[in-house]
Amino acid sequence: MADPAEIACRGRLRLLEPLGPDAVLLFINSLPPLLGAFFVVAAPTAVAMLGPMLVRRRYKLSALVKNNEVAGFKFATLGVIYAVLLGFAIVSVWEKFSEAELLVLRESGASATLYRLSAGQDADAAATRSALRAYLTAVVEDDWPRMAAGKESRESGKALEELYAAAMRLVDSRPLAVGVEVLKELGAVTEARRGRLYLAAGVVPSALWAMLVTGALLTVGFTYFFAMENLRVQTAMTGALALIVFLGLFVIVSYDHPFTGSVAVDAAPFRALIAELSGSP
């Protein structure tokens, strides 16, 4: 079985493959947290803080002050709407991340139960256990790097098909009650696998990403219509607002792909199960 560090490296290299617009999110997710925060939080905040200075060079203070009263009400409305949208997105990605963790635990648990249901010295039982070990190994060594790139593993798919074939032969040689349980656990494995593959492709839809990015630009840019006599204070306030907004976006980016990057669902339950089954006949 490949080393976890090697698996993570393979997954990161595959992020370089062209994936369209989603490649940017996958690339940022694959970076170390501090470097990702620089691109998503620090750099945009620094650029946002340049805005008041550039606007002040173009327009006089007296002209901008006139906007304070009227623009203040509009900014409050815009801020509330964007805060609700940002909060909804953060809660949504967190729930999906938690769902991905539960799917991994459910799949590994169903696999352990299936292994115990296939106990026996006959050829069909041995073939089922061997096929299950092969599937679990494919999940860790191939599925996880592919999911880190937002893709699906063909190798683990073939291993699952072979597991189904072996399990169906086992069902024919077992009592009805045992056969029903075998198919039930095998179905649970398949369902959990499809669920994690679906979540690996990304949680936030493109339309919502467009709204989040556009809303961030409008919210931060709206502060340029205001003016204070102390330009440094206004710049600091703009920077604080931009920091909060871009930190929220960074959280969403970090959790958008549950199996990518440093904040990712780990394959530890599968590795533990493989280690447990390696000592079994």
Side-chain angles (χ1 to χ4, degrees):
M1 185 171 62
D3 184 73
E6 179 184 352
I7 294 175
C9 181
R10 287 166 54 192
R12 185 168 295 178
L13 289 175
R14 284 171 177 170
L15 296 181
L16 299 178
E17 300 176 12
L19 297 174
D22 203 40
V24 177
L25 294 174
L26 287 168
F27 174 73
I28 294 176
N29 242 337
S30 70
L31 297 175
L34 291 179
L35 187 57
F38 171 79
F39 285 113
V40 180
V41 181
T45 299
V47 172
M49 294 177 68
L50 294 175
M53 304 178 194
L54 297 177
V55 172
R56 189 65 63 89
R57 289 185 178 183
R58 178 67 176 81
Y59 300 98
K60 295 181 179 180
L61 175 63
S62 57
L64 294 173
V65 168
K66 298 177 181 179
N67 299 328
N68 287 358
E69 184 175 352
V70 177
F73 294 104
K74 297 181 180 180
F75 179 73
T77 303
L78 176 64
V80 169
I81 294 175
Y82 186 71
V84 171
L85 179 64
L86 189 64
F88 167 77
I90 292 176
V91 171
S92 177
V93 295
W94 173 252
E95 288 179 348
K96 293 299 182 182
F97 187 88
S98 299
E99 181 182 345
E101 290 180 319
L102 291 176
L103 288 172
V104 170
L105 292 174
R106 191 180 306 164
E107 185 177 359
S108 60
S111 299
T113 303
L114 180 59
Y115 190 88
R116 286 162 176 78
L117 288 173
S118 60
Q121 301 298 324
D122 56 292
D124 291 333
T128 301
R129 294 195 298 271
S130 177
L132 180 58
R133 289 195 194 98
Y135 170 71
L136 295 174
T137 301
V139 167
V140 173
E141 295 187 355
D142 197 74
D143 238 357
W144 239 255
R146 297 292 292 178
M147 287 192 303
K151 295 185 176 181
E152 181 178 344
S153 166
R154 293 183 179 179
E155 285 73 11
S156 64
K158 292 179 181 178
L160 183 60
E161 292 178 1
E162 294 175 359
L163 176 58
Y164 259 96
M168 294 306 295
R169 291 192 296 269
L170 177 67
V171 168
D172 293 336
S173 62
R174 289 292 188 271
L176 179 61
V178 176
V180 169
E181 289 300 318
V182 168
L183 294 178
K184 178 182 176 181
E185 297 302 329
L186 191 57
V189 169
T190 304
E191 182 180 356
R193 177 178 183 269
R194 295 311 308 174
R196 62 176 169 81
L197 290 177
Y198 173 77
L199 294 177
V203 174
V204 181
S206 301
L208 184 55
W209 267 121
M211 293 180 65
L212 288 170
V213 174
T214 303
L217 296 177
L218 289 176
T219 302
V220 175
F222 212 99
T223 62
Y224 301 161
F225 291 97
F226 300 98
M228 299 177 59
E229 291 186 9
N230 193 326
L231 181 59
R232 292 184 179 180
V233 173
Q234 182 180 354
T235 301
M237 293 173 63
T238 300
L241 175 64
L243 181 63
I244 294 297
V245 170
F246 293 125
L247 275 175
L249 291 179
F250 181 63
V251 170
I252 298 173
V253 169
S254 300
Y255 287 97
D256 182 38
H257 290 79
F259 299 93
T260 306
S262 57
V263 183
V265 179
D266 192 51
F270 288 103
R271 287 195 290 268
L273 181 58
I274 291 174
E276 178 183 344
L277 300 183
S278 61
S280 303

